[in-house]
Amino acid sequence: MTFDDAYEWLQANSMECARLASLAELAAWDQRTYIPKKGHAHRAEQLEMLARLIHARATDPRIGECLDVAERDCPADPLLPQAVNLRMWRRAFDREVKIPASLAAALAGTAARAESAWETAKGSGDFNGFRPLLAEMISLTAQKADCLSTGHERYDALLDEYEPGATAAGIETVFCALRGPLMKLTADIAAQGRGAELPASTYPLFAQRQLCAELVAAIGYDLQAGRIDETVHPFTIGIGPGDVRITTRYTEDSPTPGLFGCLHEAGHALYDQGLDSVYWGTPMGSAVSLGIHESQSRLWENLVGRSAAFWRWAFPRAAAAFDGLRAVPESAFVRAVNGVRPGFVRVEADEVTYNLHVLLRFELERSLFRGDLTVADLQGAWNEKMQAYLGLVPRHPGEGVLQDVHWSAGLFGYFPTYTLGNLYAAQLFAAADSAVGPLEEQFARGEFGPLLDWLRKHVHLHGQRFTAEELITRATGAPPSQEAFISYLTRKYTDLYALDKNRS
Ligand code: ZN
């Protein structure tokens, strides 16, 4: 077998896996949007079959043989597309084969049972009833981490699945630097006591749909290569080149969940639409990590979509769409969509308190996998940390330890990528602003092309050529850190709430 034979086989196999996965994505999109109630059982069977087919292809022993051949003549330049693909195929294959089939099946089966048990427990608040399944999920995940371990802390192996190269020690350093400034900023804002609310009114759904479509198109989301649908838990799904769909959730009593949900998901979609379609189905045409993906959604939702400059352009459109906003001054609207208030629920948290929710989960997960914390003590530990970081104690487990689906699905090591995304977003935005800004002056005129073009060039088009850390370092001239994020938040909220600029 020559290099070309081996490489071509690997590429064809990678693309077949990707096509099968994209069929699963399409089926999953339908399952979460339009499927009739009675269609779920059959859909679950379809998805299970596709997962089996994909797994068989991804673990085909021929992959190992072809990698051995191709790696002998791998291009010396690690940044060439063939070298990138070979490196990432190797990584994926080695991970797949390290996990015994029996463990993979046990994880999938327990996750399915735990997810539906979690849904019931969340509704009833019965954490004790859910505990045995959660303990089983943690034990199986620990076994998986041990299979994948490279001899470092167990949690590192879990993080590595979502943010390749990230370590618990690195995340701890970030949070140590974030915790103090975030808690201080939250307290200073609370002391001002000047939150603004939008007036109670009805915000008709047809007007919300129209405005959202107009705004996401303006920032560059190609509606000929995507569509907007409605769902309970909004998501973005990249089905293939030319088909990247977003979803949102509208409520008639406020325009903000629909609007910011759309901008967030459109940020994810801009990344997927910006990947190089020539390499679709291979690592060169795939996203780097969850953290980088989240950086794109957070950047468009918050650094663009919640900026005063964005609303200088967009507010007249919103005020024309909704009677309820006609008498609202633009500045009051901007303050209302940037309210800061400690709350129980992570997904409803503002930009300042959000990362404190993630910090709490990271510390609990790390303790669980170090064996310092048992599931029996988890609820108490959760409540203690909520009190310490956000000054609140959940009234019931549904708004506390049971609020997220992640743990029941075995997604441990996933939460920190949300915070990494926020940090990357601020750092990328600052670099883009220096290179092609002032961006805010452009936003005020409804111009978003320069920012998107910069992101395309420095982030999207690279696929998995670099690790997240390399990508950020190359794009911004400095390794990832919390500094840009803290200075962005401090600047923004000092202006917005007229905080004392010399506060200590
Ligand atoms: Zn997201």
Side-chain angles (χ1 to χ4, degrees):
M1 191 164 35
T2 64
F3 172 87
D4 285 346
D5 295 337
Y7 188 87
E8 269 164 34
W9 187 89
L10 287 165
Q11 189 175 36
N13 190 62
S14 178
M15 291 181 70
E16 286 217 25
C17 283
R19 285 195 195 98
L20 284 170
S22 74
L23 285 170
E25 301 279 27
L26 180 59
W29 168 81
D30 175 67
Q31 185 185 35
R32 293 158 75 181
T33 49
Y34 298 112
I35 198 171
K37 209 174 158 82
K38 291 180 180 172
H40 280 283
H42 179 66
R43 180 56 42 86
E45 286 168 13
Q46 291 176 312
L47 285 169
E48 205 188 304
M49 182 195 73
L50 283 166
R52 241 187 359 257
L53 291 174
I54 294 167
H55 185 259
R57 279 190 181 274
T59 51
D60 187 334
R62 183 106 200 259
I63 298 176
E65 294 161 28
C66 288
L67 279 171
D68 289 343
V69 171
E71 281 165 351
R72 282 200 290 273
D73 295 309
C74 178
D77 181 350
L79 302 185
L80 287 177
Q82 284 186 331
V84 173
N85 282 340
L86 286 171
R87 182 166 68 244
M88 299 314 287
W89 285 329
R90 166 62 76 188
R91 174 187 145 87
F93 181 68
D94 285 354
R95 287 179 68 89
E96 287 283 355
V97 296
K98 275 185 191 159
I99 300 169
S102 56
L103 177 58
L107 275 161
T110 308
R113 280 187 295 134
E115 263 192 73
S116 69
W118 164 77
E119 246 182 83
T120 313
K122 187 181 179 183
S124 65
D126 179 15
F127 180 64
N128 287 336
F130 176 61
R131 264 171 44 191
L133 266 173
L134 180 60
E136 197 180 328
M137 207 59 224
I138 290 169
S139 149
L140 289 168
T141 308
Q143 289 175 46
K144 183 178 88 171
D146 291 340
C147 293
L148 295 170
S149 172
T150 47
H152 300 283
E153 181 173 344
R154 193 184 257 165
Y155 194 71
D156 287 357
L158 300 175
L159 275 170
D160 189 61
E161 182 162 356
Y162 310 109
E163 197 69 12
T167 63
I171 304 277
E172 185 184 10
T173 309
V174 163
F175 276 123
C176 277
L178 277 178
R179 185 174 48 212
L182 292 182
M183 288 175 66
K184 171 91 174 75
L185 192 55
T186 308
D188 288 350
I189 294 170
Q192 286 301 94
R194 268 204 264 158
E197 302 274 349
L198 293 181
S201 175
T202 299
Y203 298 87
L205 296 187
F206 72 89
Q208 291 198 44
R209 290 188 188 107
Q210 217 168 18
L211 181 64
C212 284
E214 188 186 350
L215 297 187
V216 295
I219 64 170
Y221 176 57
D222 180 0
L223 278 154
Q224 299 297 312
R227 45 180 291 134
I228 310 170
D229 294 277
E230 287 159 46
T231 187
V232 186
H233 303 290
F235 61 95
T236 297
I237 221 155
I239 293 170
D243 191 354
V244 179
R245 304 179 187 196
I246 64 173
T247 56
T248 195
R249 183 177 62 87
Y250 299 110
T251 104
E252 275 207 309
D253 52 13
S254 170
T256 55
L259 269 171
F260 291 102
C262 261
L263 288 170
H264 180 95
E265 299 308 330
H268 280 301
L270 287 173
Y271 186 12
D272 285 349
Q273 288 186 335
L275 293 165
D276 193 339
S277 60
V278 168
Y279 299 113
W280 188 83
T282 74
M284 262 305 291
S286 308
V288 186
S289 69
L290 288 186
I292 296 291
H293 228 302
E294 193 67 7
S295 78
Q296 300 304 291
S297 56
R298 287 273 167 180
L299 185 147
W300 289 100
E301 177 195 354
N302 291 331
L303 286 106
V304 180
R306 288 185 205 269
S307 68
F310 179 83
W311 289 104
R312 209 158 308 137
W313 166 75
F315 189 71
R317 288 163 171 77
F322 306 118
D323 291 343
L325 293 183
R326 257 176 221 151
V328 176
E330 184 188 309
S331 59
F333 180 82
V334 172
R335 261 205 313 283
V337 300
N338 283 292
V340 173
R341 205 168 296 116
F344 294 109
V345 182
R346 175 186 57 87
V347 296
E348 292 167 6
D350 55 78
E351 283 183 273
V352 181
T353 58
Y354 186 90
N355 298 291
L356 297 170
H357 290 266
V358 179
L359 164 64
L360 169 153
R361 286 155 176 79
F362 163 66
E363 290 183 341
L364 294 178
E365 289 186 347
R366 198 180 183 195
S367 297
L368 284 168
F369 285 93
R370 278 178 160 178
D372 301 341
L373 176 67
T374 64
V375 177
D377 295 329
L378 184 58
Q379 186 182 350
W382 178 290
N383 292 353
E384 266 171 40
K385 285 192 188 292
M386 267 313 270
Q387 171 72 56
Y389 299 152
L390 289 148
L392 302 166
V393 177
R395 291 157 295 191
H396 58 87
E399 64 181 16
V401 68
L402 282 172
Q403 72 180 261
D404 304 296
V405 67
H406 301 58
W407 289 346
S408 69
L411 300 174
F412 297 94
Y414 189 113
F415 284 119
T417 68
Y418 293 129
T419 289
L420 291 175
N422 287 325
L423 306 190
Y424 298 157
Q427 201 166 330
L428 288 168
F429 189 90
D433 194 45
S434 308
V436 296
L439 293 173
E440 297 208 330
E441 286 177 15
Q442 298 164 16
F443 301 164
R445 296 192 297 266
E447 292 170 17
F448 306 98
L451 172 60
L452 181 58
D453 290 344
W454 188 91
L455 291 168
R456 290 261 187 267
K457 185 167 162 222
H458 292 89
V459 180
H460 305 173
L461 280 170
H462 288 300
Q464 296 183 348
R465 177 174 277 140
F466 305 111
T467 64
E469 187 174 340
E470 288 165 352
L471 187 81
I472 295 296
T473 307
R474 293 179 71 107
T476 69
S481 93
Q482 65 291 335
E483 276 165 37
F485 181 66
I486 293 175
S487 78
Y488 153 70
L489 281 187
T490 308
R491 208 172 45 244
K492 172 171 174 175
Y493 287 95
T494 300
D495 285 353
L496 210 55
Y497 285 87
L499 302 178
D500 179 1
K501 287 200 168 58
N502 302 315
R503 65 202 182 89
S504 55

